[in-house]
Amino acid sequence: MSKEKIGFIGLGTMGFAMCYGLYKSGFSMVLPTYRREIDQSCSFIPLAPDEAAKTALYDEMLNNGCQGAANSAELFAKSDYIMISMPTTKQVEMNMYGEEGILANARPGTVVIDLTSADATSTKKLAIECEEKGIELIDAPISGGQAGATNQTLTVMVGGKREVFEKCRHILETIGDPKKVNYVGPSGAGDALKCINNYLSCTCLLASTEALTVAAKAGIDPEVAAQVIGSGGGSSNATTYKFPSLIFTGKGMNMPVDLMMKDIGLYTALAKETKVPSFYGNTSYQMFDIQSSSGNGGVDFSCVVKMFEDWTGVKLMGLKVEE
């Protein structure tokens, strides 16, 4: 097991899979045992499909060299690297500030790897504050979903100092596919590219939903349409993966509306800041806001597909399940 200690905060659907993968790859992990009961009782994934399975994997890590921490201050003080996987910037800032926060407890030389899809403006501010304490912060948001986190094949987009990226490369190339671990620019660049990526992902999903609905109305089997489009000039991840594997099968996206809407909102704010017109970004945001404003903010964001079903009577979600 590696002598370097990695403290991990945020053992949710993505975080737990990454943390367990690092442990299995020989890294010495410091676990937030002070919030163990909360982490074990929610955010289940195929790797840990229920509380019993997640508890067993947690015990396995602790019984095989990983350390626990009685509070966040202890975790931050023990760690050479601190990895944060949180839903939003707000939770990242909560871990940075206060008597038990990173700024008050991490040792000089510690590197913070923030995996959160966060606000680049906040990230740049935090990076400066960390540097004043002798701590380094890189933003390293990820893409690839639960499967990527479990299989350690994530795409990682890294912003910050290049030399700090190189120092962390062995960790990043463990949670991600080495071919997909990319240094993309200065502090905040990783966060910026992640929201750009998610904006395109959502917009392609919406456009493809509309297109497949039109195809169905024109008498074309939506599955056939997706297959043909997926091999042609209109291809996108929506037609090659999301519809065949997640929408037509009824599995959904494993991410709530409000969380994805947050990323589109970060994108539209970035477009405004950089003075780039964002016609499609604003439209995508409003399409998700229809669901959020209707009380579906916590619902899987595949519900945007169901909007088209309700409007047109065309069945797309779970098409294969019913056959």
Side-chain angles (χ1 to χ4, degrees), residues 13-14 45 144-147 198 200-206 209 237-239 241-257 259-260 288 298-306 317:
T13 54
M14 297 291 286
I45 53 176
Q146 294 177 13
N198 279 11
L200 282 172
S201 175
C202 289
T203 303
C204 287
L205 175 66
L206 290 167
T209 300
N237 182 261
T239 53
Y241 174 66
K242 288 188 178 72
F243 271 94
S245 300
L246 304 177
I247 303 300
F248 292 151
T249 59
K251 293 179 181 177
M253 314 303 295
N254 292 311
M255 187 174 185
V257 168
L259 198 55
M260 182 55 81
F288 276 75
V299 174
D300 189 277
F301 80 79
S302 59
C303 63
V304 297
V305 175
K306 293 182 179 179
M317 193 74 189

Side-chain angles (χ1 to χ4, degrees), residues 19 73 88 190:
C19 181
T88 70

Side-chain angles (χ1 to χ4, degrees), residues 276-291:
V276 177
S278 182
F279 306 108
Y280 307 110
N282 288 321
T283 298
S284 293
Y285 185 87
Q286 294 302 323
M287 291 289 283
F288 276 75
D289 197 23
I290 290 172
Q291 289 296 322

